[in-house]
Structures are given as structure tokens and as C-alpha cells.
């Protein structure tokens, strides 16, 4: 399943990933500086949420595209079952 993100959706996902990248860099810097544990964990949790949100946005877009593709035609039962299994695996990977 190829993912074709529309420009607005892609921009939002990339922004989230860049934010997470900055937060992870911040966590590394905080650890190197010996910062307070609570501050480090708070920053790490923010990075984790940013990654989760980016993943969910990608999956939601993929799900929308998959449903559109299945409705447009193809091997209905086989494609749906394969698609369901793949999407379930993706959702569980983020859980």
C-alpha cells in the first residue's frame, strides 16, 4: 500500500516529525547537561506524543485512501481482508 499524502496533510505530518526531532535533540542536550529528571521526562513525553500523532495522521490518511481504493474497484473480499490485516498491524504498532 503506497501512501499518497496531499500537500497539506504531508506538511502537517512533517511539522510534527520536525517538532519531535527538535524535542529529542533537547532531551539529549538535557541529559548531557545533567538537567532535572522531571524536566527530561516531560520533554521525552512530548516527543513521544508528537511521534504518535504523526503516526496516527499517516495511518488515518492511509485508511481513507484504502477505503477509496476498495470502493473504486478491485478484488473486494481478498483486498478488504488483506487491507484490514495490514491496517490492524499498523494500528497495533502504535499502541
Amino acid at each position: 500500500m503506497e501512501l499518497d499524502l496531499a500537500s497539506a496533510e504531508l506538511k502537517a505530518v512533517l511539522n510534527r516529525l520536525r517538532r519531535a526531532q527538535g524535542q529529542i535533540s533537547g532531551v539529549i542536550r538535557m541529559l548531557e547537561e545533567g538537567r532535572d529528571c522531571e524536566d527530561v521526562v516531560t520533554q521525552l513525553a512530548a516527543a513521544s506524543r508528537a511521534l504518535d500523532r504523526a503516526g496516527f495522521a499517516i495511518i488515518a490518511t492511509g485508511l481513507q485512501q484504502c477505503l477509496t481504493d476498495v470502493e473504486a474497484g478491485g478484488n473486494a473480499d481478498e483486498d478488504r481482508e488483506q487491507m484490514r490485516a495490514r491496517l490492524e498491524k499498523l494500528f497495533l504498532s502504535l499502541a
Side-chain angles (χ1 to χ4, degrees):
M1 167 175 64
E2 288 184 31
L3 186 61
D4 180 28
L5 290 174
S7 62
E9 294 163 333
L10 178 59
K11 186 175 181 179
V13 169
L14 290 173
N15 285 340
R16 282 193 176 116
L17 291 173
R18 286 186 183 104
R19 185 177 310 124
Q21 184 179 29
Q23 290 167 326
I24 291 169
S25 294
V27 168
I28 292 168
R29 189 171 44 256
M30 292 169 79
L31 288 170
E32 291 172 344
E33 294 171 355
R35 297 273 300 272
D36 181 63
C37 178
E38 187 175 342
D39 294 339
V40 173
V41 171
T42 299
Q43 189 70 12
L44 191 58
S48 178
R49 283 191 304 273
L51 289 172
D52 286 345
R53 291 178 66 94
F56 288 134
I58 291 169
I59 290 174
T61 301
L63 177 58
Q64 182 180 16
Q65 288 176 8
C66 292
L67 291 175
T68 302
D69 291 347
V70 168
E71 288 174 0
N75 277 340
D77 291 336
E78 184 178 341
D79 285 345
R80 286 183 186 175
E81 183 57 30
Q82 288 177 350
M83 190 66 61
R84 187 206 60 76
R86 288 166 49 195
L87 289 170
E88 180 179 342
K89 184 178 176 180
L90 287 173
F91 276 114
L92 290 173
S93 71
L94 289 174

